[in-house]
Amino acid sequence: MSIASGLRGRHLPRRLTQLYVGLALYGASSALLVRGGLGLEPWGVLHQGLAERTGLTIGTVSIVVGAVVLLLWIPIRQKPGLGTVSNVFVIGVAMDATLALVPDAQGLPLRIALMLLGIVLNGLATGLYIAARFGPGPRDGLMTGLHRLTGRSIRLVRTAIEVAVVVSGFLLGGSLGVGTVLYALSIGPLAQFFLRYFAVAEPDAGSTVVASGTPKQVILRP
């Protein structure tokens, strides 16, 4: 896949809208998890930890990490799509914009509400983004590339990457909590539901499946 691939078809306007709305909502959902303060998604833990150490905004750190991960695609011969490159910038910008608008939550009920809203919104955003079919995000492209090179299962490669990311982020000061666990348990079913809802059929494309297991059945998140 190249950056220009996929830029055709009668559903192109809808797909482009889904791509950028999905990426923006993904950034917003990550920001809500930050404001909830009950634990972030795995990569969010790392981004927050690095932000604490560097003094950069968490959105800026997300952009930098995404760009670094994208560079790791070169030795494993992965090719980015429009969605891959857009992912690097749009999510970080949307995240910082949302954090500027939404204050820290006061009181446990509001924090729980923000956590739940952030997780559900993240699932919706994931469905929108993947269904647009403009290529995986940098982090998931790294996962599938390592799977191809090592021959290890998607499940094992993904688990290894995310455990390393969570542990590193936590040691750097990132927020690890009940929200992290709930996210890990619910994002698969949520993404699968919303992906089916937002799927865009093309004459030359088969159905898209979101599940765990084989390379053709993997949740590709930003």
Side-chain angles (χ1 to χ4, degrees):
M1 174 178 288
S2 66
I3 294 177
S5 67
L7 292 177
R8 58 184 180 274
R10 60 190 177 92
H11 296 299
L12 181 59
R14 174 183 166 180
R15 291 172 57 220
L16 285 170
T17 299
Q18 284 194 196
L19 170 66
Y20 289 106
V21 170
L23 291 177
L25 289 179
Y26 195 100
S29 69
S30 296
L32 293 180
L33 290 173
V34 172
R35 290 305 188 213
L38 294 174
L40 306 180
E41 74 277 18
W43 284 92
V45 177
L46 177 62
H47 297 157
Q48 187 181 53
L50 288 172
E52 292 287 337
R53 296 287 181 170
T54 63
L56 298 173
T57 67
I58 191 170
T60 300
V61 169
S62 174
I63 292 172
V64 172
V65 170
V68 171
V69 173
L70 190 55
L71 289 176
L72 296 177
W73 282 32
I74 298 174
I76 60 177
R77 298 180 181 180
Q78 289 282 93
K79 294 182 180 180
L82 176 65
T84 310
V85 177
S86 298
N87 176 293
V88 173
F89 300 99
V90 177
I91 290 178
V93 171
M95 191 173 186
D96 277 347
T98 304
L99 288 171
L101 294 173
V102 180
D104 286 326
Q106 301 297 323
L108 185 59
L110 182 55
R111 294 173 67 192
I112 292 174
L114 284 179
M115 176 191 70
L116 295 176
L117 178 59
I119 292 173
V120 173
L121 188 61
N122 193 281
L124 185 150
T126 300
L128 278 168
Y129 163 73
I130 298 173
R133 303 194 318 276
F134 283 109
R139 297 154 185 83
D140 278 303
L142 176 65
M143 173 189 67
T144 54
L146 290 175
H147 155 74
R148 177 174 49 82
L149 285 180
T150 64
R152 301 294 184 180
S153 69
I154 285 285
R155 188 185 303 274
L156 177 61
V157 172
R158 178 169 176 171
T159 299
I161 291 175
E162 296 203 347
V163 167
V165 165
V166 167
V167 171
S168 299
F170 179 71
L171 292 176
L172 289 169
S175 177
L176 181 64
V178 64
T180 309
V181 176
L182 187 59
Y183 179 93
L185 294 174
S186 61
I187 190 60
L190 285 170
Q192 181 169 346
F193 171 79
F194 286 114
L195 177 55
R196 289 173 176 171
Y197 185 81
F198 292 116
V200 182
E202 289 286 358
D204 59 343
S207 60
T208 304
V209 178
V210 178
S212 298
T214 66
K216 293 182 180 179
Q217 294 178 307
V218 55
I219 298 171
L220 295 180
R221 297 201 308 273

